[in-house]
Amino acid sequence: MKIVYLDNNATTRVADEVREAMLPFFSDLYGNPSSMHTFGGQVHRKIEVARAQVAALINADPEEIIFTSCGTESDNSAIMGCLNSMPEKRHVITTRVEHPAVLNFCKTIGKRGYRVTLLPVDKLGRLDLDELDKAVTDDTAVVSIMYANNESGVIFPMGDIVNIVKSRGVLLHTDAVQVAGKIPVDVKKQPVDLVSLSGHKMHAAKGVGALYIKRGTRFSPYIIGGHQESGRRGGTENVASIIGFGKSAELAGNHLSAGNSKLIELRDKLEFGLSETCPEARTNGDTENRLPNTLNISFEYVEGEAILLRLNEFNICASSGSACTSGSLEPSHVLRAMGVPYTAIHGSIRFSLSRYTTDDDINKVLDVMPGIIKELRELSPFVK
Ligand code: PLP
């Protein structure tokens, strides 16, 4: 039976073109890019092509991109790289709704003597820019604010954030893991200092990420070892995945230029269809500023995990809260920060589409969901 995969904010399928681009680097082209010989040198040159492809997706220069092992490493490196480069400053600002790659990292450094400010969001998941302005002090080393949220899909106003943070002379990092390839990111128009990216969220392989470091930014390496990545990240490169990441960035750029209208049409069809056929369904987050592929919707008085299990029986993949934190039944920290009522948080489902999502996929969900919700509501102790 065909899988209906609507969990693309958790991970994406590797594009066929990406897989093709990767294959030679598992067999014929296995040289070490750092080697002096021509055999390794040709691999080095291919990595530089991939660097240029990833750079082009965010309008950066290739020398401003380093490859990492994942989005999490990019986030950790960005924050720690800034802190290590200015040991006299001990304050970090981030938000309550970051991915654990930032939030838990900041909480950990908070226990090691740094002062950490967690900015709140409102009930639509929007950031209060006045709070950001008030939080910046002379002691602030870095502000880390995600470009868009992986659970709600809410996009933060990066232009305004840049204006506030840069006018105070503080470094700004953004986690753009969920954004790259979905909406345009332009580091020249919105001059943030550091940007995290991850391959597997944009149809490349798992285990590869990138960090943009604006030319001239004070940064000390987080992974210390050899002289790879111009001395900014030690470790022999994950060559095949990097080559694939480059290809996926090129493809994403082409798809972005062609526009997202089909993706938005499908997401909206899902949203309106579910709202009409499932009583007490409510969308979470700011629908005016939202990733084109994401729908976070709550079905009150029903357990999200129960919905997922029932969807699973129809080979439909979605997620409740963040898939990266599944395994814990803790309610989503993002929806809690937004003040979504308890009964709605527990019944929240995130559907995340990709350019491979079809009308049939959406029709299938619209077909089965009303029955699932009705059946689970009848079992719910909260509904008379
Ligand atoms: N940041 C965001 C916003 C994410 O959604 C994720 C993964 O879900 C990450 C960081 C971590 O990326 P990776 O899985 O490549 O470590």
Side-chain angles (χ1 to χ4, degrees):
M1 201 181 179
K2 186 181 173 283
I3 296 284
V4 175
Y5 188 76
L6 297 176
D7 202 10
N8 287 281
N9 286 8
T11 197
T12 57
R13 64 165 278 191
V14 172
D16 294 345
E17 301 90 326
V18 168
R19 196 183 57 238
E20 283 304 310
M22 290 172 71
L23 284 177
F25 297 87
F26 292 112
S27 49
D28 298 344
L29 295 175
Y30 57 84
N32 187 324
S34 297
S35 296
M36 287 295 289
H37 41 71
T38 316
F39 186 58
Q42 63 185 329
V43 177
H44 173 77
R45 281 193 295 281
K46 296 285 187 191
I47 287 186
E48 294 318 305
V49 172
R51 199 183 305 285
Q53 288 167 318
V54 171
L57 184 64
I58 60 170
N59 198 19
D61 297 332
E63 318 79 74
E64 296 175 308
I65 298 290
I66 62 170
F67 288 111
T68 65
S69 68
C70 57
T72 301
E73 185 195 317
S74 299
D75 285 341
N76 284 210
S77 310
I79 298 168
M80 208 62 224
C82 293
L83 292 177
N84 284 342
S85 73
M86 50 180 94
E88 69 287 1
K89 301 211 175 197
R90 309 289 294 173
H91 180 220
V92 179
I93 299 174
T94 187
T95 77
R96 289 188 189 285
V97 294
E98 297 296 312
H99 186 274
V102 168
L103 195 55
N104 287 346
F105 187 77
C106 287
K107 285 180 181 166
T108 301
I109 59 173
K111 289 184 196 137
R112 294 186 193 150
Y114 286 95
R115 193 164 68 81
V116 178
T117 301
L118 300 180
L119 299 171
V121 293
D122 69 8
K123 62 183 187 346
L124 293 181
R126 294 175 304 195
L127 199 62
D128 184 337
L129 294 175
D130 289 338
E131 289 288 327
L132 168 61
D133 196 30
K134 276 190 253 157
V136 181
T137 71
D138 290 344
D139 193 35
T140 310
V142 57
V143 174
S144 177
I145 294 181
M146 67 200 323
Y147 209 123
N149 189 271
N150 45 305
E151 294 191 39
S152 64
V154 172
I155 302 168
F156 285 151
M158 202 43 66
D160 296 336
I161 293 169
V162 169
N163 289 342
I164 292 171
V165 177
K166 297 317 294 173
S167 70
R168 311 286 289 276
V170 171
L171 288 176
L172 176 60
H173 162 245
T174 187
D175 175 340
V177 162
Q178 290 293 346
V179 171
K182 293 178 186 161
I183 57 171
V185 174
D186 187 327
V187 293
K188 302 251 173 1
K189 285 198 186 131
Q190 292 173 343
V192 288
D193 300 296
L194 302 112
V195 181
S196 298
L197 307 172
S198 173
H200 75 106
K201 309 291 185 180
M202 41 185 282
H203 305 289
K206 294 164 187 61
V208 64
L211 180 63
Y212 159 82
I213 309 170
K214 188 164 76 192
R215 186 177 290 108
T217 303
R218 284 167 77 184
F219 177 84
S220 69
Y222 184 59
I223 304 275
I224 297 167
H227 56 271
Q228 291 91 350
E229 300 300 300
S230 313
R232 291 175 297 176
R233 198 268 185 187
T236 301
E237 296 86 342
N238 179 359
V239 175
S241 295
I242 288 173
I243 304 302
F245 191 10
K247 187 71 193 171
S248 79
E250 183 190 286
L251 294 172
N254 296 342
H255 281 277
L256 269 180
S257 319
N260 271 328
S261 51
K262 182 68 190 166
L263 191 59
I264 295 173
E265 183 193 312
L266 288 176
R267 192 270 315 271
D268 290 352
K269 177 175 167 180
L270 180 62
E271 179 172 8
F272 297 129
L274 291 176
S275 315
E276 270 179 12
T277 55
C278 303
E280 300 194 74
R282 49 174 272 183
T283 300
N284 297 309
D286 177 10
T287 53
E288 299 290 308
N289 294 294
R290 187 171 47 156
L291 291 172
N293 78 320
T294 306
L295 168 63
N296 190 308
I297 185 162
S298 287
F299 303 92
E300 289 226 47
Y301 313 117
V302 186
E303 283 291 331
E305 283 69 28
I307 302 174
L308 288 187
L309 288 175
R310 292 291 285 117
L311 285 173
N312 194 45
E313 289 167 18
F314 293 99
N315 284 334
I316 298 170
C317 307
S319 122
S320 66
S322 170
C324 303
T325 54
S326 72
S328 119
L329 285 182
E330 278 289 296
S332 148
H333 71 283
V334 175
L335 299 183
R336 265 186 297 155
M338 289 161 62
V340 175
Y342 179 86
T343 47
I345 292 185
H346 279 280
S348 72
I349 299 289
R350 179 188 68 188
F351 294 101
S352 45
L353 289 62
S354 80
R355 61 178 185 256
Y356 296 105
T357 305
T358 63
D359 277 290
D360 283 352
D361 293 337
I362 300 302
N363 290 340
K364 179 78 192 276
V365 180
L366 292 176
D367 238 22
V368 301
M369 268 305 256
I372 293 177
I373 299 300
K374 184 168 180 292
E375 180 193 313
L376 293 175
R377 284 244 169 84
E378 280 164 9
L379 298 173
S380 170
F382 300 106
V383 182
K384 294 222 169 79

